Amino acid sequence: MSGRLLKKVLKEHEESKLRNHHEEEEIEEEEEEEYFGDSGGRSSINPFDLLNEGDEDPDSDKEIEIDDDTIVEKKNEDVDDMSSRIADNVQPVSKNKSKKKKKKKNKESASNVAKDELTLDETLEALSLITKSKQEEVQETKAHADSSRSVLEIDHKYLNLENELRRIYGSKAVRSFESSGQGSGSSRQGRGGRRGIHHITKTVLISPMENWSRWDRSFSMEFLETKDGYNYFRYTHSPTYEQAQRAFQAAQAIHDLNGVASVLIKHPYHIESLITMADYFKFVGEHQMAADATGKCLYALERAWHPMFTPFQGNCRLKYNHETNRPFFTTLFTHMRNMDRRGCHRSALEVCKLLLSLDTDDPVGALFCVDYFALRAEEYAWLEQFSQEYRSDNSLWLFPNFSYSLAIARVYLEKIESSSSSEATQIDTSKSSSLDLMRQALMLHPSVLKKLVDKVPLKDQAWTKILKHSYFRSDESKIPSLDHLINIYVERNYLMWRLPDVQKLLKSAADLVIESLEVNKTEAEDWTGIRKEAFSAENNEYSHLSTNDFSDSTPTLPPDNLQNFVADPRMVGGNQMAEGGGGHQQARPPPRDVANGNPLFELFASMLPWNNNYGDEDDEIAHDAHNQ
């Protein structure tokens, strides 16, 4: 309600109460005698009267009492008729305040309109001061928390990788891909599930396969506390899991991959061992098997969730400083990269939002790829909203990825606004144009341009001329933390700069920067000061983030290193079974005799989608797996 309308309503209430003043006094006095008795004492102790203990103190200042009561009175008069009737029904609870109101009314004159208006203004001012002095910080913190929570709220329907694949390629194409035996073995999944000994529980983060082992409940999640409207949790391990963890650490200390595999034979949902195997599969080029191992991690981690853990609503925290929580962040980040590799950028964006909502400290660097996924998913408006609401200090635009990505997002939003015939979606002139945002990004981070020209690459002769200018000549800012973030940005987002519209915008903005610097020589020094103030010039505070984690290219181990990494030479080629390599099929041990087989080899075979638990199936299934 605006201040003018509030004054009008309060004035009307004031005049109405002055006309009926005497009648209300008589009614209140009669009700007072019925409730309190002749002595005026309370029939029982009212806990709400404790709020007025300071008013009843005879030594307190009476003038302060009158002002407080005036504030309470004006607040009560601002409610609607229904609220007034409810307040009348509970008058015995606040009878002491009613007495004071009558005393205040007897002192006022009904004909003194000027005084009433003055009192009204003073009351509104007093209400405003009290609100600001006592509740301003709490309300601002809560508003920021609510806005951050809303912008990070996750649409769980986009988390399903298969759903997005169907939206992109169509249901027929996905079914054809799955039936060909290339889509995670889905055609065999149903058959194995019908013959299995248990039914797999469906989860949200991942679509589990029927051949996976039963969830062993070797770890769980516990509730810690509720703070500032957020619920805090952490994972806890059972004694069985701790035993498996010690065996894993012993194998890890001597770089024994066979030992890691043997841990998974006994404990199929040991998270650290599954992460290690996923890394190995990625190194040898078996991306599907790496994704399956990551999927098993997510399946187990989700099955362990606490009933109060509702991360998709943005109201839960899982702090990274608890060591048991760290595998969840590592697995989610890997899962996000797997989605990106398959072109499911909207699903990857939802996972990225989940990472940011779980720990605002952003331990895995999700903040430096959320803009990329938003652009690839064409969520341009959301990216602008995120940059405004995620942090209260409005400093996201200082990061290289956001300064450039917001300019790109504005390019496509301008296209949408200009092509729309609706008046509600006309161009918003209050926002900076894409050209202004790109110019600002180039002034703030000029070293990005040279790196982009080399990485994209941009081969037009115009770029050679632009890079000859002193402001764009260097590809380093001489600030370690900023240079590291620029390397991450270029490695993650360089694909966006292959679009003609974006290249045209970048060239126009670069020409404007050069013209501006020719006119104002001191402008470059001003932007240099901003960079030094925003980023640490002494050390790299983002050194824990690896540039390779943001790269599309997959690092591989040379053959010699693989030979040294794996003790058994068969393990180097054992993974080729996933592609049907005939040279390794004869080395497969019998399904019922896993004790004499190599643990790592057995693990490879067990992860194939058409295999089930060893020792639980008949000869027909074993023969069927051998034919595969």
Side-chain angles (χ1 to χ4, degrees):
M1 182 182 293
S2 63
R4 183 179 300 174
L5 182 58
L6 179 59
K7 290 181 179 180
K8 183 178 180 181
V9 173
L10 292 179
K11 185 176 180 180
E12 292 176 356
H13 277 286
E14 188 71 25
E15 293 174 354
S16 175
K17 284 189 174 291
L18 287 174
R19 287 194 301 267
N20 303 321
H21 172 68
H22 297 291
E23 295 180 3
E24 290 177 352
E25 263 192 66
E26 294 175 359
I27 295 174
E28 288 178 356
E29 287 175 358
E30 291 177 359
E31 292 177 350
E32 199 172 273
E33 291 177 358
E34 292 177 0
Y35 183 79
F36 290 98
D38 297 335
S39 62
R42 295 179 177 85
S43 60
S44 61
I45 298 176
N46 188 350
F48 290 95
D49 290 329
L50 296 176
L51 299 175
N52 299 320
E53 284 182 353
D55 296 337
E56 295 174 355
D57 188 357
D59 298 330
S60 60
D61 193 345
K62 294 183 179 179
E63 184 64 23
I64 296 177
E65 289 182 2
I66 293 176
D67 291 341
D68 291 341
D69 293 334
T70 303
I71 294 172
V72 174
E73 179 183 352
K74 298 307 179 185
K75 285 184 179 179
N76 290 336
E77 291 177 353
D78 189 36
V79 299
D80 54 13
D81 294 338
M82 181 62 70
S83 300
S84 299
R85 288 196 296 268
I86 295 175
D88 293 336
N89 291 334
V90 295
Q91 271 187 348
V93 177
S94 57
K95 185 58 62 178
N96 188 45
K97 294 183 179 180
S98 298
K99 289 182 177 181
K100 295 180 180 180
K101 292 178 186 178
K102 291 185 294 183
K103 293 179 181 179
K104 180 69 174 65
K105 291 177 182 179
N106 292 332
K107 294 180 181 180
E108 294 178 348
S109 174
S111 61
N112 194 352
V113 179
K115 184 176 180 180
D116 290 341
E117 293 180 352
L118 181 61
T119 305
L120 181 61
D121 293 336
E122 292 176 350
T123 301
L124 292 173
E125 184 179 359
L127 284 172
S128 177
L129 292 175
I130 290 177
T131 301
K132 290 182 179 179
S133 61
K134 294 184 178 180
Q135 300 178 2
E136 188 174 28
E137 294 183 359
V138 176
Q139 290 179 351
E140 288 180 356
T141 303
K142 184 177 180 181
H144 171 57
D146 292 341
S147 62
S148 298
R149 183 180 300 178
S150 63
V151 80
L152 291 178
E153 189 171 348
I154 297 159
D155 193 344
H156 59 80
K157 69 181 180 182
Y158 289 106
L159 287 173
N160 192 306
L161 186 65
E162 286 74 13
N163 289 343
E164 184 166 3
L165 287 174
R166 291 185 179 93
R167 287 192 296 270
I168 297 174
Y169 303 106
S171 300
K172 292 183 179 180
V174 173
R175 283 197 299 267
S176 176
F177 180 76
E178 291 176 348
S179 62
S180 65
Q182 301 176 9
S184 303
S186 299
S187 60
R188 293 269 179 177
Q189 181 174 335
R191 180 177 179 179
R194 289 193 299 269
R195 293 173 179 267
I197 60 175
H198 69 279
H199 177 72
I200 199 76
T201 302
K202 301 301 181 182
T203 53
V204 179
L205 292 176
I206 196 73
S207 296
M209 300 174 62
E210 294 292 343
N211 67 302
W212 287 358
S213 302
R214 186 189 299 274
W215 164 234
D216 57 6
R217 302 182 183 276
S218 56
F219 57 93
S220 60
M221 180 184 286
E222 67 174 352
F223 170 75
L224 296 179
E225 62 176 345
T226 299
K227 184 178 180 182
D228 298 331
Y230 294 97
N231 298 325
Y232 288 77
F233 302 85
R234 72 175 175 187
Y235 283 99
T236 57
H237 296 162
S238 66
T240 303
Y241 192 94
E242 292 291 347
Q243 182 181 2
Q245 182 71 10
R246 288 191 292 269
F248 165 77
Q249 291 173 351
Q252 186 185 45
I254 59 177
H255 306 285
D256 181 13
L257 193 61
N258 291 333
V260 175
S262 64
V263 172
L264 287 175
I265 297 297
K266 298 179 180 179
H267 308 279
Y269 290 110
H270 183 257
I271 303 301
E272 285 81 355
S273 296
L274 286 172
I275 292 175
T276 301
M277 298 309 302
D279 290 339
Y280 173 75
F281 290 139
K282 180 182 65 176
F283 285 143
V284 299
E286 289 294 340
H287 297 288
Q288 185 55 55
M289 298 182 73
D292 288 344
T294 302
K296 281 190 173 182
C297 290
L298 288 176
Y299 172 72
L301 289 165
E302 184 174 344
R303 288 297 308 274
W305 283 358
H306 191 276
M308 293 175 57
F309 188 67
T310 54
F312 305 139
Q313 299 177 7
N315 62 345
C316 295
R317 290 286 185 265
L318 202 70
K319 300 299 290 183
Y320 188 80
N321 55 12
H322 295 295
E323 187 174 356
T324 54
N325 292 341
R326 294 177 183 178
F328 190 40
F329 288 87
T330 304
T331 306
L332 273 180
F333 192 85
T334 303
H335 183 54
M336 180 180 67
R337 294 189 60 193
N338 291 338
M339 289 179 165
D340 176 38
R341 184 177 60 84
R342 301 186 67 175
C344 301
H345 300 111
R346 181 57 193 273
S347 297
L349 175 62
E350 298 301 317
V351 174
C352 195
K353 289 159 62 176
L354 177 59
L355 283 169
L356 290 172
S357 66
L358 291 176
D359 192 339
T360 54
D361 294 334
D362 190 24
V364 294
L367 193 61
F368 304 111
C369 52
V370 66
D371 60 300
Y372 171 76
F373 293 129
L375 292 176
R376 293 301 301 269
E378 300 182 359
E379 292 292 322
Y380 310 120
W382 177 88
L383 181 60
E384 285 192 345
Q385 181 186 3
F386 175 82
S387 65
Q388 296 171 1
E389 298 181 3
Y390 180 66
R391 286 188 174 179
S392 59
D393 56 0
N394 195 23
S395 62
L396 283 182
W397 69 275
L398 293 173
F399 290 111
N401 58 320
F402 279 96
S403 60
Y404 283 93
S405 294
L406 287 173
I408 296 176
R410 177 46 43 187
V411 171
Y412 293 101
L413 285 174
E414 288 173 351
K415 282 189 174 184
I416 296 173
E417 293 168 352
S418 61
S419 62
S420 176
S421 58
S422 174
E423 296 181 358
T425 56
Q426 291 299 315
I427 297 177
D428 188 357
T429 57
S430 63
K431 294 183 178 180
S432 300
S433 66
S434 58
L435 185 60
D436 291 336
L437 292 175
M438 186 63 72
R439 178 185 174 277
Q440 177 180 283
L442 286 171
M443 294 295 296
L444 184 59
H445 304 294
S447 59
V448 171
L449 183 59
K450 184 175 178 60
K451 289 182 178 293
L452 285 176
V453 171
D454 296 336
K455 182 70 176 178
V456 174
L458 302 175
K459 298 182 178 180
D460 195 299
Q461 294 296 326
W463 297 110
T464 304
K465 180 181 178 180
I466 291 174
L467 292 179
K468 287 182 179 180
H469 193 274
S470 59
Y471 199 68
F472 298 114
R473 191 175 301 164
S474 176
D475 60 353
E476 294 183 357
S477 64
K478 309 300 182 182
I479 302 176
S481 58
L482 179 56
D483 286 334
H484 188 64
L485 291 182
I486 290 176
N487 291 333
I488 290 176
Y489 169 70
V490 173
E491 190 67 34
R492 174 67 282 172
N493 290 52
Y494 75 95
L495 289 175
M496 299 299 305
W497 297 96
R498 292 182 176 177
L499 302 174
D501 293 337
V502 178
Q503 291 183 13
K504 181 180 178 181
L505 176 67
L506 182 63
K507 182 179 179 301
S508 300
D511 292 336
L512 285 179
V513 170
I514 294 176
E515 294 177 4
S516 176
L517 292 176
E518 293 296 331
V519 175
N520 187 359
K521 301 292 185 181
T522 62
E523 189 175 4
E525 298 178 359
D526 296 339
W527 288 100
T528 301
I530 294 176
R531 285 194 298 271
K532 291 181 178 180
E533 184 178 353
F535 299 94
S536 174
E538 298 179 356
N539 59 346
N540 183 8
E541 55 183 320
Y542 303 102
S543 58
H544 62 284
L545 302 177
S546 174
T547 306
N548 292 331
D549 291 337
F550 300 86
S551 174
D552 291 327
S553 60
T554 303
T556 57
L557 292 176
D560 292 341
N561 290 345
L562 285 176
Q563 295 281 352
N564 296 331
F565 189 58
V566 184
D568 192 337
R570 291 182 300 169
M571 295 309 98
V572 179
N575 54 20
Q576 297 178 8
M577 290 186 60
E579 298 178 357
H584 297 282
Q585 289 182 6
Q586 300 300 326
R588 185 180 184 276
R592 296 182 182 274
D593 188 16
V594 297
N596 296 327
N598 187 282
L600 184 58
F601 189 83
E602 297 296 339
L603 178 65
F604 287 171
S606 69
M607 284 189 173
L608 295 176
W610 49 80
N611 281 316
N612 289 280
N613 296 331
Y614 285 97
D616 295 329
E617 308 300 330
D618 53 19
D619 293 337
E620 180 183 353
I621 297 179
H623 181 267
D624 189 46
H626 177 71
N627 290 336
Q628 289 296 326

